[in-house]
Amino acid sequence: MPMLYKPAAEGKAVRPPQIPSPGNNSFLGDTFTSDAPKEQQMSCGFYKQEKGEPLVYTYTYDEMKVILEVEGEYTITDETGYSVSVSPGDVFYFKKGTTITFKTTGYGLAFFTGLRPNGEA
């Protein structure tokens, strides 16, 4: 099939699966993964960070995020200390090997695309 489709009820409106995080308040789920050799696969989906403990994550792949929703204060900080107060519509590129800290007093929801196979977060 040349085009795949999932309605919001199967994507944005669904809480992504929980990922290991200090406060168990980080969620990420793949919506689609490309049909390519494993080392060339791209996956996309939704990431949600809820209030509580920050998530410190080191990327083992290149990833891009578009911030969709923010409630409260949401900051994203890299290992150099460069920090951004996030707003809907902001776009990020995290290079492989980068360590990023996600922290919010409410929640943040983002759409991501990463150069990795399905489920390898």
Side-chain angles (χ1 to χ4, degrees), residues 19-52:
I19 60 173
S21 63
N24 296 318
N25 56 332
S26 301
F27 306 86
L28 182 138
D30 293 342
T31 303
F32 291 116
T33 299
S34 63
D35 292 329
K38 189 174 181 176
E39 64 279 353
Q40 296 173 352
Q41 287 180 345
M42 292 189 315
S43 294
C44 69
F46 293 91
Y47 169 74
K48 186 170 187 178
Q49 177 72 27
E50 296 181 346
K51 68 180 175 181

Side-chain angles (χ1 to χ4, degrees), residues 66-108:
V66 179
I67 306 302
L68 302 175
E69 298 176 3
V70 173
E71 180 182 281
E73 180 69 19
Y74 186 27
T75 57
I76 297 177
T77 308
D78 70 14
E79 71 261 19
T80 70
Y82 177 59
S83 187
V84 176
S85 182
V86 178
S87 297
D90 290 351
V91 181
F92 292 85
Y93 170 33
F94 305 121
K95 295 180 182 181
K96 181 178 179 177
T98 301
T99 299
I100 301 293
T101 301
F102 299 89
K103 182 178 181 182
T104 184
T105 61
Y107 79 89

